[in-house]
Amino acid sequence: MAGKIRVGIVGATVTVGGSGWGARTHVPALHALPDYELKAVCTTREETALASQKAFNTDLAFHSFDAMLASPDVDLVSVVTRVPAHYDLVMRALQAGKAVYCEWPLGATLAEAEDMANLAAAKGLYTAVGLQARSDPTLAYVRELIQQGYIGEVLSADFAYVNRATIKRGAGRIFQHDKRNGANILTIGGGHAIDAVSYVLGDFAEVSARLATRVTEWINSDTGESVHVDSPDWVSVSGKLQSTAEVQFLVAAMPAMPEGRRNFEIYGREGMLSVAVGAGGAEKNPSIYHGPNQVFGSRGKEPLTAMPTPERFTLIPDTVPAGPPRNVAQAYTRLAQAMREGKPYSPSFADAVNAHKLVAALEKSSETGKSVSL
């Protein structure tokens, strides 16, 4: 593909109500990358489309998704809406022959994800899913160290990410109370985190999970109404990798967690690696877990020592803002390289299906009280 990749984004607006993920991460990332041009923005109303066009400095604004899909000036569609809307938007974009970047979770269910992946494969289109841990420089470095045998045979690993629960939510996030909408601690936080473990250490062979909802009511901050919650906020997993390494895994959101808990430790026969997850942002804002991560290593009886991530793992310019936009920009940069060279890209929709299968296995294990093989 010659020239810049022209992106049309749906779900990024300047209005208040949602998490603002698209506006806070995708927009600044795309503006900072030389391989891309943020060409168009699409929202559901003309006034928000025009306001977003002005705020994001795009040439085109649409309040009809089909109209944006019909535009020859859009090469890649980025879907950054709420999860329940992913399926319809992605399927329509694929039918229109567009490459698609969709945020994680890809679908509200495994079946939706499989439909999207199958259609993309049938049409031979490039796809990307927002499992940004697979583009994180530090995790890529840790993965390389593992593969090079820095700690010898991996025996076990422990991952924990416990964050402060958001009890009061506006219209843009209150929908997450219903687990059927596919956007909760299990699918989002748990999905991102356990995929990161799989990326670094390899696929799971077996999982035994316990899911629970400890905070069963939220407050709609727009109306003051109380809403019943059945989405899990406690995800505890014991698992075995295909390498036979044992893994202990915890992701949760609790009301009284002023500092949070974040760690990823890997124990080998000859040493260990410890990743301080999101260490660069956690001190100021515990909700920011998107890096920069920091890694410490030890071999034998040596003390843990900081191991700065080599610069070769960072693919983006310094102009990309700190925090969440950087791993998003890393993913876009890797996607552009794959598209230009005609090579496969990962994580694609096919990878997303595998991640959805892992989440589904956790749900099945919790429901049945039995371990599940993958």
Side-chain angles (χ1 to χ4, degrees):
M1 178 179 290
K4 293 188 175 184
I5 299 170
R6 299 165 298 178
V7 179
I9 193 167
V10 56
T13 72
V14 294
T15 57
V16 178
S19 66
W21 179 256
R24 290 189 297 109
T25 61
H26 286 254
V27 170
L30 289 166
H31 277 316
L33 296 176
D35 289 324
Y36 289 91
E37 177 185 1
L38 183 53
K39 189 71 174 180
V41 63
C42 181
T43 72
T44 57
R45 300 191 305 276
E46 183 176 13
E47 59 269 27
T48 57
L50 292 174
S52 299
Q53 177 189 27
K54 181 178 180 180
F56 303 152
N57 192 28
T58 64
D59 289 343
L60 304 173
F62 297 92
H63 58 281
S64 164
F65 187 59
D66 289 328
M68 187 175 81
L69 294 180
S71 172
D73 294 322
V74 173
D75 306 308
L76 171 70
V77 174
S78 289
V79 177
V80 294
T81 62
R82 302 174 194 172
V83 177
H86 285 184
Y87 182 79
D88 177 63
L89 295 172
V90 169
M91 293 294 280
R92 287 157 66 187
L94 295 173
Q95 289 286 10
K98 302 292 186 181
V100 180
Y101 183 129
C102 182
E103 265 303 338
W104 170 264
L106 178 57
T109 64
L110 170 59
E112 287 188 357
E114 289 176 328
D115 282 350
M116 289 182 266
N118 289 338
L119 181 57
K123 288 186 167 290
L125 296 168
Y126 271 99
T127 60
V129 68
L131 289 167
Q132 291 93 356
R134 291 178 178 259
S135 296
D136 180 82
T138 299
L139 293 183
Y141 178 40
V142 172
R143 184 171 186 258
E144 180 181 276
L145 289 170
I146 295 292
Q147 293 175 343
Q148 291 177 345
Y150 177 82
I151 61 172
E153 177 191 3
V154 176
L155 302 177
S156 58
D158 178 80
F159 184 101
Y161 180 81
V162 184
N163 199 25
R164 181 184 298 172
T166 304
I167 308 299
K168 294 184 178 181
R169 297 168 179 248
R173 296 185 65 195
I174 198 69
F175 78 98
Q176 295 178 343
H177 76 96
D178 189 338
K179 65 181 180 182
R180 293 173 298 179
N181 288 325
N184 50 63
I185 293 299
L186 169 63
T187 59
I188 298 177
H192 277 292
I194 206 164
D195 183 71
V197 174
S198 296
Y199 169 65
V200 172
L201 298 177
D203 293 333
F204 280 79
E206 180 181 336
V207 292
S208 178
R210 181 171 178 82
L211 312 180
T213 306
R214 301 302 302 152
V215 178
T216 58
E217 287 189 354
W218 291 344
I219 301 299
N220 186 324
S221 58
D222 295 330
T223 65
E225 295 177 333
S226 177
V227 177
H228 176 69
V229 180
D230 67 359
S231 295
D233 54 22
W234 182 271
V235 180
S236 176
V237 180
S238 293
K240 179 180 289 187
L241 302 178
Q242 291 183 3
S243 67
T244 74
E246 298 287 342
V247 174
Q248 187 73 20
F249 177 90
L250 172 65
V251 171
M254 293 290 109
M257 285 296 293
E259 299 299 329
R261 176 188 170 199
R262 306 161 189 83
N263 64 273
F264 181 19
E265 295 187 341
I266 306 163
Y267 308 98
R269 195 170 294 277
E270 299 173 17
M272 72 167 290
L273 291 165
S274 178
V275 183
V277 179
E283 298 86 355
K284 295 182 179 179
N285 185 350
S287 69
I288 297 177
Y289 60 93
H290 303 275
N293 300 321
Q294 296 177 10
V295 61
F296 302 83
S298 169
R299 303 186 72 178
K301 296 181 179 181
E302 298 173 355
L304 281 172
T305 303
M307 302 177 66
T309 301
E311 292 183 4
R312 59 188 169 86
F313 289 100
T314 299
L315 310 176
I316 57 176
D318 292 338
T319 51
V320 178
R326 294 191 67 80
N327 278 354
V328 172
Q330 285 268 128
Y332 273 115
T333 298
R334 294 175 53 246
L335 176 61
Q337 182 177 0
M339 293 175 70
R340 295 195 189 287
E341 297 177 358
K343 295 181 179 179
Y345 172 80
S346 179
S348 66
F349 283 7
D351 298 303
V353 168
N354 291 334
H356 272 285
K357 287 180 178 178
L358 180 53
V359 170
L362 301 182
E363 291 178 311
K364 182 178 179 180
S365 174
S366 182
E367 290 169 0
T368 62
K370 299 178 181 180
S371 62
V372 174
S373 298
L374 292 119

